[in-house]
Amino acid sequence: KRDWSSDVCSSDLTFSYIGKPQKRLDSRAKITGEAVFGIDVDLPGMLVATVARAPVFGATVKSFDDTRARRVPGVVDVKQVPSGVAVIASHTWAALKGREALNVEWDDAEGKKLSTESLRSEWQALAATPGIVGQNIGDAAKVLASGSRRIEVEYELPYLAHACMEPMNATAHVKDGACDLWLGTQSQSQDAQFVAAALGIDPKNVRVHTTFLGGGFGRRASADSDFAVEAAHVAKGVGKPVKVVWTREDDMRRGYYRPYSISKVRAAIGADGLPSAFHQVIVGKPVLANTALGKMAVSKEGLDPSSVEGTANMAYPIPNLRVEVHNTTEAVPILWWRSVGHSINGFVANGVIDELATLAKRDPYEYRRAMLADKPRHRAVLDAAAELAGWGQTLPAGRHRGIAMQESFGSIVAQVAEVSVTGKDVRVHRVSCAVDCGIAVNPDQVVAQMESAINFGLCAVLESEITIREGVAVQGNFDSYPVLRIADAPQIDVRIVNSDGPIGGIGEPGTPPIAPAVCGAIFAATGQRIRRLPLKASLA
């Protein structure tokens, strides 16, 4: 359901196109199959390659025997590259069968010590100690020491794969001191720079041919352009275009993940029942600090702003707020995942607000509304979501509501989830979403992004997680890493709130509120607090 006025900008300006729904220019090509994605690239004389990558994080090639691989019909060459051992063939099947025939010995003894269970116990202890200060307003310690109405809780979120529908791939042609790249990418300029450095050529001699991409969510803005650089290494010296294809298992087990995170939070309410103190200690691997371009954003003390965003700058005004972080260094590769730190800390912040509302014996919507008395834009968005959902009205038997609000990337989004719970089965029936992104240039696109972000976030709420056992990612395909199916997708209603505020982002902000909204509804239904996702890890 789309809900917007004919003019989503409340200024006196009159626009012919801005603020009015416009058709996407790429829809016809995608519907008819004319769109060329990276996986579709087919060039004269092109070869196809797959790479045997270490299953254990941090492992390297010790030795390999390619005798059997070279006997596979269609295999052209086998070569070691920085990311593993590449099998180059005349077609995809030959490359895959050749890779299966490889005998690779990995130096992986150290990496096998890594597991989610070992990280959990280490990080829980670490979260009980002081970290790098990311925000300090007032004196949270003093208020918490004297406050009688307070909570102390732990939140945990897992590694998450991006799980793009199109697995990673890139085609490279390295010849005469130049390189042509064909790939779906979010970072063309960076790709050219990293590929040039890997090949020892001038960046101006790298030509990037951007195809459509079958899902990105941050994965195709790789911190080190890994899939582009890998293709260049494989193609170097071949003299022909080489398309490097990742399987779903490659993508899920040897890709990049949203960081695993544990937070310990102590919070208190004052005499008026509103939050008086909030102290969070976050443990996890920093995203920006592990990217070449993001290192400049990290402070000299080691503070990565992406690790604390979402609580250090939360929209809810708390007079005594302290956020600390411990940076971890495990070998698991991590990257921004749709909404970056807000997907983690938005869950924590809204979850704690819900818990404080219960402590104060207040309705979670009215509680937030009271906190936002001096923030009219935020309050308008919260009210719009509640009104759209019919907050306070009687629901069908067995259904319950939860609400959350998060400001991220310059936009404010509030969501109400309507949920039923039967044993361990959670069904999200409806999501009512309100968004203020300043001027909504194309309202139809704003709505589409909200719908996409909500469904994407629901995957992480319900079942998706990457766990590590003996240094290996356990989940490898959609049988063990489920994503939302059409039959499980909720009805989504979106209201765009008129605003003269600055134009904000729209691809990311719809994801953070959905997890706490659903979990708030589960509490309303069962009385059980959800502090660890996915739900299958928490529901009794």
Side-chain angles (χ1 to χ4, degrees), residues 79-355:
K79 60 188 292 189
Q80 185 171 347
V81 292
S83 58
V85 180
V87 177
I88 305 169
S90 57
H91 53 87
T92 306
W93 185 248
L96 289 170
K97 300 305 288 185
R99 185 173 69 169
E100 286 180 15
L102 274 176
N103 183 10
V104 183
E105 185 179 0
W106 303 99
D107 185 359
D108 59 8
E110 188 65 27
K112 287 184 176 181
K113 300 175 184 177
L114 183 67
S115 73
T116 300
E117 292 299 324
S118 63
L119 291 178
R120 179 179 294 115
S121 59
E122 292 171 16
W123 292 11
Q124 286 173 333
L126 195 56
T129 66
I132 302 167
V133 178
Q135 180 62 280
N136 190 37
I137 299 171
D139 192 338
K142 181 179 179 181
V143 174
L144 288 165
S146 59
S148 58
R149 293 197 292 174
R150 62 183 183 179
I151 60 171
E152 185 167 342
V153 293
E154 178 182 287
Y155 281 75
E156 178 182 343
L157 293 117
Y159 291 112
L160 289 175
H162 296 78
C164 309
M165 284 294 101
E166 178 194 14
M168 308 311 294
N169 63 84
T171 300
H173 189 191
V174 181
K175 186 178 180 181
D176 299 331
C179 178
D180 281 272
L181 286 171
W182 292 263
L183 73 171
T185 178
Q186 297 173 258
S187 303
Q188 293 91 339
S189 298
Q190 176 185 285
D191 293 342
Q193 293 287 336
F194 278 114
V195 166
L199 296 175
I201 62 176
D202 194 313
K204 69 182 181 182
N205 292 330
V206 178
R207 294 176 288 271
V208 179
H209 308 269
T210 306
T211 66
F212 285 95
L213 55 87
F217 319 117
R219 177 62 183 98
R220 285 183 161 92
S222 169
D224 51 8
S225 296
D226 65 303
F227 59 102
V229 170
E230 181 182 69
H233 279 302
V234 173
K236 184 178 180 180
V238 175
K240 295 181 179 181
V242 181
K243 177 161 64 177
V244 178
V245 176
W246 296 47
T247 65
R248 173 64 58 199
E249 287 77 11
D250 292 338
D251 203 31
M252 200 164 281
R253 288 203 170 107
R254 294 304 294 126
Y256 288 62
Y257 308 111
R258 186 189 74 172
Y260 175 49
S261 175
I262 284 180
S263 285
K264 285 195 175 180
V265 181
R266 295 185 302 143
I269 57 176
D272 58 0
L274 296 181
S276 58
F278 181 107
H279 179 206
Q280 178 188 17
V281 181
I282 307 163
V283 184
K285 195 171 184 179
V287 173
L288 286 175
N290 285 279
T291 70
L293 299 179
K295 289 179 180 177
M296 64 186 72
V298 178
S299 74
K300 63 180 181 180
E301 293 81 17
L303 177 66
D304 185 327
S306 69
S307 295
V308 298
E309 65 182 3
T311 45
N313 57 346
M314 74 169 82
Y316 303 111
I318 298 178
N320 300 282
L321 172 65
R322 186 176 178 88
V323 181
E324 303 172 43
V325 62
H326 290 281
N327 297 328
T328 63
T329 59
E330 71 276 13
V332 181
I334 53 94
L335 189 61
W336 27 63
W337 184 91
R338 195 169 188 169
S339 76
V340 199
H342 289 277
S343 74
I344 294 172
N345 293 320
F347 177 62
V348 176
N350 278 279
V352 171
I353 294 298
D354 273 353
E355 299 204 44

Side-chain angles (χ1 to χ4, degrees), residues 4-9 15 17-22 439-443:
W4 60 70
S5 64
S6 60
D7 181 4
V8 297
C9 175
F15 298 109
Y17 298 102
I18 293 175
K20 296 176 174 61
Q22 305 295 329
I439 298 176
V441 175
N442 183 352

Side-chain angles (χ1 to χ4, degrees), residues 1 7 49 111 131 148 154 221 223 240 260 358 420 433 463 465 504 509 511-514:
K1 179 181 177 182
D7 181 4
S148 58
E154 178 182 287
K240 295 181 179 181
Y260 175 49
T358 299
S420 63
C433 173
E463 292 191 273
E465 67 175 331
T511 295
I514 188 60

Side-chain angles (χ1 to χ4, degrees), residues 347 419 424-428 458-464 515 518-519 522 528 530 532-540:
F347 177 62
V419 172
K424 294 183 180 181
D425 181 40
V426 175
R427 174 78 182 185
V428 182
L458 275 175
C459 300
V461 177
L462 299 173
E463 292 191 273
S464 297
V518 169
C519 292
I522 292 172
Q528 180 179 352
I530 305 297
R532 178 182 172 188
L533 292 179
L535 292 178
K536 65 180 182 181
S538 291
L539 288 176

